[in-house]
Each structure stands twice: as C-alpha cells, then as structure tokens.
Amino acid sequence: LNHGVVEYVAPAEYVVRPPQPLVYVFLIDVSHTAVQSGMVATAARTILENLDRLPNEDGRTRVALIGFDSALYFFSMPPGAEQAHMLVVSDVDDVFLPQPHDLSVNINESRAVLESLLSQLNDMFKDNHDLGSALGPSLQAGFKLIVSASYEFHGSTDNDVIIRAT
C-alpha cells in the first residue's frame, strides 16, 4: 500500500486531455478463514490508516471496496449518506455492477462514510461461515468498476485503463 508503484506526472506538453481521476478498488477476502485469521480486520485497519497517503493532490481520487467469499459484496456510498449500503451479487458466473453509480466515491467528499465502513467491516462478516473464494469474479468486478468510473468522468474506453497489481 505504501510503496508499490512509483509514478511520474507528465507535464502539460505530453497530455492531450486532463488525466483521469485515480480510482483505487480494494478487494478484500471476507470468507470465514479470512475473518478468523484476522486478515479482514488488518486489511481494513491498514487501508483506513493509509487513506491520507493515497495521491489526491487534485481532490479527484476515488475509492471503492469489494468484499468477496463465494459472492461479491459491493458498498454503495451515495453523496450525503451517513453509512454505506451493502449490495450482494451471488451470481459470480456473469459478473455485473449492481448499481452504476456510488460504488466508487471521492475520498474528500465521502471520508466519514469510508472511515465508518472500514471500521465496521470486520464486524459485518464476523458470523460468516462461507469458505468459498470468488477472487476471479471480484477482479472482473473491480476492473468493471474502474472502467465505469473512468468512463463517467472522461468518456474513456477500456483502452485507457491501466491496472497495476503489486
């Protein structure tokens, strides 16, 4: 989370249009094993502690969270909401975004909701007994979420999206 990628910002002479907003999608395994081992609590705490370290000079950085076991758990955070709403997608054979908007949020505008969600994430899944793992479908959903956030702001296409796994 802290030093996985080094990026250099190109000066205006090298860019045709303004850059897309940064979109961070955190995929968190919320299966029984992950909860019992403390991985969910550690991941949520680490993300929470590092929100201020995410690059956000222009104030446009967006964040989304997707939990997964044998289903996908999206968190909708509409502007002005006091807490996130969990949307469950159990059909992982044909991955889709359950709601086109409010799945990725601006860090500045939804900071309180993000902090609340991350602090409650472990408790939300503490009674989960599902041992499955839909990692592949969650990666597909994360990609679709990044593409939809990019398209929403600049009319970008799939070719404009760069995904880095570190």
Side-chain angles (χ1 to χ4, degrees):
L1 289 175
N2 292 326
H3 305 287
V5 175
V6 176
E7 295 186 358
Y8 299 96
V9 178
E13 303 88 49
Y14 292 98
V15 246
V16 176
R17 60 176 168 80
Q20 300 170 347
L22 293 173
V23 181
Y24 288 89
V25 178
F26 295 100
L27 305 174
I28 302 175
D29 182 353
V30 294
S31 66
H32 177 74
T33 307
V35 173
Q36 294 304 313
S37 69
M39 192 281 300
V40 175
T42 301
R45 185 181 66 251
T46 304
I47 294 168
L48 181 60
E49 291 171 356
N50 286 287
L51 282 177
D52 289 329
R53 293 183 180 164
L54 295 177
N56 191 25
E57 291 82 22
D58 59 0
R60 299 183 315 141
T61 300
R62 302 184 69 77
V63 174
L65 285 139
I66 301 174
F68 66 92
D69 48 25
S70 61
L72 302 177
Y73 303 93
F74 295 88
F75 297 95
S76 173
M77 299 172 265
E82 293 183 16
Q83 68 180 38
H85 303 283
M86 183 166 50
L87 305 167
V88 181
V89 174
S90 56
D91 180 11
V92 294
D93 293 329
D94 186 22
V95 177
F96 65 93
L97 298 179
Q99 182 173 321
H101 305 291
D102 303 328
L103 296 177
S104 69
V105 295
N106 182 292
I107 288 180
N108 297 340
E109 296 170 2
S110 301
R111 182 63 179 247
V113 177
L114 272 171
E115 289 177 352
S116 173
L117 173 60
L118 288 166
S119 63
Q120 297 171 7
L121 194 64
N122 192 60
D123 292 336
M124 287 178 174
F125 295 97
K126 69 181 176 186
D127 296 326
N128 187 5
H129 296 292
D130 191 335
L131 299 174
S133 177
L135 177 60
S138 69
L139 288 168
Q140 290 176 348
F143 178 75
K144 288 181 180 192
L145 192 55
I146 291 170
V147 169
S148 72
S150 299
Y151 185 76
E152 180 179 334
F153 289 97
H154 289 296
S156 304
T157 64
D158 291 350
N159 298 330
D160 294 332
V161 177
I162 299 172
I163 294 183
R164 294 185 184 101
T166 56

